[in-house]
């Protein structure tokens, strides 16, 4: 079975042609450059850019994989959550192709795309805990099986990736700031600035990152910004974020142990899982409890169409076809 998937929930325009046996015939991810000069994503510009880029990369994907649109068995696209204009462009494009080829269209939840991405290259046994860390989401889920996915906690304000990008902007770093902060942090002293650990004293599994950004801003206003400052603040901020994530994951593990639920693995999914420092700290926690830490393939961490194609293959079939599904910017699991 051949699946053609489109992902346009935010500022990545991506298409993928995947066989149901996991062979990726073509996978193209285009990161929109237009937002760099604005230091953040401008929704209207994202929608326009998706419209321009989608047709080009779709042509390339079919040409490279030597597949004809009529050979595709299922067309699929992200239908939420995300920016509504961006979701409309991608889903309408995939729906139009499905109508043209007279094949079914299956809507996919972007969050399921991320959560199932680690099952592409790992054998998953249930129940399984998942930490989703991206520019739009910071959530902890327990996945009891493909159908039963429960949200245990999430950010009450900014997402972790968003906090990285905003602090990067405050420090005068290039957009996206997350990558830059990890590079600068390597040269800095992570104990130089003492930053707050929001919600750490609360017994729930929720996160808050906006206060952290405000604290960074207050320190910036009182100091001279030179290379040492940027390096030390990058390292201190990264350490602080990592401590918050580790604290909440450890609390989730302890809660499940109390409930006598035995976890075999914890997955870390989403673009922030590219951060090697955070990964190594999370690994310390999972090693302590003898739980396996698993990650999706690198190309399936940041927003991408391969995870959408795979979520479609992993969980759904032609019975789930629904061309009338309306994209929902606030779609949940
Ligand atoms: Zn995402």
């Amino acid at each position: 079975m051949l699946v053609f998937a489109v992902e346009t929930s935010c500022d990545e325009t991506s298409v993928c042609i995947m066989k149901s046996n996991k062979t990726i015939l073509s996978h193209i991810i285009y990161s929109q450059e237009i937002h760099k000069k604005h230091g953040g994503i401008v929704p209207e510009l994202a929608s326009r850019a998706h419209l321009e880029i989608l047709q080009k990369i779709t042509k390339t994907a079919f040409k490279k994989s030597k597949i004809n649109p009529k050979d595709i068995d299922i067309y699929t696209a992200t239908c939420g959550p995300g920016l509504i204009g961006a979701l409309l462009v991608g889903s309408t494009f995939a729906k139009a192709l499905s109508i043209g080829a007279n094949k079914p269209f299956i809507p996919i939840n972007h969050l399921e795309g991320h959560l199932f991405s680690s099952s592409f290259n790992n054998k998953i046994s249930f129940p399984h805990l998942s930490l989703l860390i991206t520019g739009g989401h910071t959530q902890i889920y327990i996945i009891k099986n493909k159908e039963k996915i429960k949200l245990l906690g999430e950010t009450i304000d900014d997402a972790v990736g968003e906090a990285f990008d905003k602090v990067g902007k405050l420090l005068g770093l290039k957009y996206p700031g997350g990558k830059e902060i990890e590079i600068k942090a390597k040269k800095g002293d992570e104990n130089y600035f003492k930053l707050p650990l929001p919600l750490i004293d609360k017994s729930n599994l929720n996160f808050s990152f906006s206060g952290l950004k405000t604290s960074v801003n207050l320190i910036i206003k009182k100091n001279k910004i030179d290379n040492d400052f940027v390096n030390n603040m990058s390292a201190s901020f990264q350490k602080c974020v990592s401590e918050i994530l580790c604290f909440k994951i450890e609390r989730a593990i302890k809660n499940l142990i109390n409930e006598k639920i035995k976890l075999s693995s914890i997955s870390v999914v989403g673009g922030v899982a590219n951060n090697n420092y955070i990964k190594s700290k999370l690994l310390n926690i999972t090693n302590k409890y003898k739980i396996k830490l698993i990650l999706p393939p690198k190309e399936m961490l940041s927003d991408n169409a391969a995870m959408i194609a795979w979520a479609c293959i992993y969980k759904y079939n032609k019975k789930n076809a629904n061309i009338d599904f309306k994209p929902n910017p606030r779609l949940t699991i």
Side-chain angles (χ1 to χ4, degrees), residues 18-75:
M18 190 186 282
K19 274 191 190 175
S20 50
N21 68 2
K22 295 186 181 178
T23 308
I24 296 177
L25 298 176
S26 179
H27 185 207
I28 304 171
I29 307 171
Y30 180 88
S31 298
Q32 299 177 0
E33 296 285 320
I34 187 120
H35 309 285
K36 279 190 176 163
K37 63 178 173 199
H38 300 281
I41 297 155
V42 184
E44 176 68 19
L45 296 179
S47 309
R48 285 167 191 250
H50 284 309
L51 205 54
E52 278 170 27
I53 300 153
L54 253 181
Q55 309 204 29
K56 287 181 201 159
I57 61 173
T58 299
K59 264 188 190 164
T60 311
F62 278 115
K63 206 172 158 193
K64 270 192 179 166
S65 55
K66 299 191 178 69
I67 295 285
N68 186 296
K70 293 225 178 302
D71 301 330
I72 298 292
D73 298 292
I74 291 172
Y75 283 86

Side-chain angles (χ1 to χ4, degrees), residues 289-314:
Y289 291 90
K290 298 192 172 49
I291 300 169
K292 217 168 126 193
L293 185 76
I294 58 173
L295 280 106
K298 214 169 168 39
E299 65 182 299
M300 285 167 79
L301 280 173
S302 298
D303 289 349
N304 66 88
M307 71 179 191
I308 302 304
W310 172 239
C312 179
I313 293 165
Y314 185 67

Side-chain angles (χ1 to χ4, degrees), residues 84-306:
I84 187 62
L87 291 168
L88 274 167
V89 171
S91 60
T92 307
F93 182 79
K95 284 177 181 179
L97 285 175
S98 85
I99 292 168
N102 198 22
K103 296 292 167 67
F105 171 82
I106 298 179
I108 293 290
N109 183 322
H110 183 79
L111 301 171
E112 283 194 339
H114 278 301
L115 293 178
F116 295 149
S117 63
S118 60
S119 64
F120 186 79
N121 57 334
N122 295 283
K123 202 175 151 19
I124 305 281
S125 36
F126 302 108
H128 145 93
L129 203 63
S130 191
L131 174 66
L132 167 62
I133 40 177
T134 72
H137 296 90
T138 305
Q139 298 176 318
I140 301 177
Y141 286 94
I142 181 147
I143 305 175
K144 293 180 179 167
N145 59 47
K146 285 180 205 178
E147 310 292 333
K148 277 192 182 165
I149 303 172
K150 193 180 164 201
L151 181 67
L152 299 179
E154 65 180 334
T155 182
I156 58 166
D157 42 56
D158 290 352
V160 63
E162 191 182 357
F164 262 100
D165 291 343
K166 283 181 177 170
V167 168
K169 195 175 178 181
L170 291 173
L171 292 173
L173 301 174
K174 275 191 295 198
Y175 178 84
K179 247 188 219 165
E180 293 293 309
I181 287 180
E182 189 180 5
I183 297 167
K184 300 284 178 195
K186 287 196 177 111
K187 293 179 255 172
D189 174 2
E190 64 179 30
N191 298 313
Y192 197 89
F193 294 107
K194 186 107 190 80
L195 296 169
L197 298 165
L199 297 191
I200 212 107
D201 54 335
K202 295 275 183 291
S203 61
N204 58 38
L205 296 174
N206 289 337
F207 303 89
S208 167
F209 294 104
S210 72
L212 192 54
K213 177 197 68 199
T214 310
S215 304
V216 172
N217 200 18
L218 288 174
I219 300 172
I220 287 175
K221 282 185 179 151
K222 287 184 202 149
N223 284 273
K224 189 173 144 269
I225 314 294
D226 56 11
N227 278 340
D228 284 342
F229 180 90
V230 171
N231 294 343
N232 290 333
M233 182 52 90
S234 295
S236 304
F237 173 76
Q238 184 177 254
K239 182 195 174 201
C240 177
V241 167
S242 161
E243 276 179 2
I244 296 167
L245 295 173
C246 287
F247 186 88
K248 294 287 179 171
I249 273 294
E250 186 163 17
R251 173 165 287 159
I253 297 171
K254 283 179 180 168
N255 288 351
L256 294 169
I257 290 174
N258 284 340
E259 291 170 36
K260 307 225 171 344
I261 295 172
K262 200 174 159 19
L263 287 172
S264 58
S265 59
I266 296 180
S267 66
V268 190
V269 297
V272 182
N274 275 308
N275 183 301
N276 288 314
Y277 178 92
I278 292 177
K279 243 185 309 190
S280 72
K281 297 293 174 189
L282 286 167
L283 194 60
N284 290 342
I285 303 287
T286 52
N287 283 344
K288 186 172 152 190
Y289 291 90
K290 298 192 172 49
I291 300 169
K292 217 168 126 193
L293 185 76
I294 58 173
L295 280 106
K298 214 169 168 39
E299 65 182 299
M300 285 167 79
L301 280 173
S302 298
D303 289 349
N304 66 88

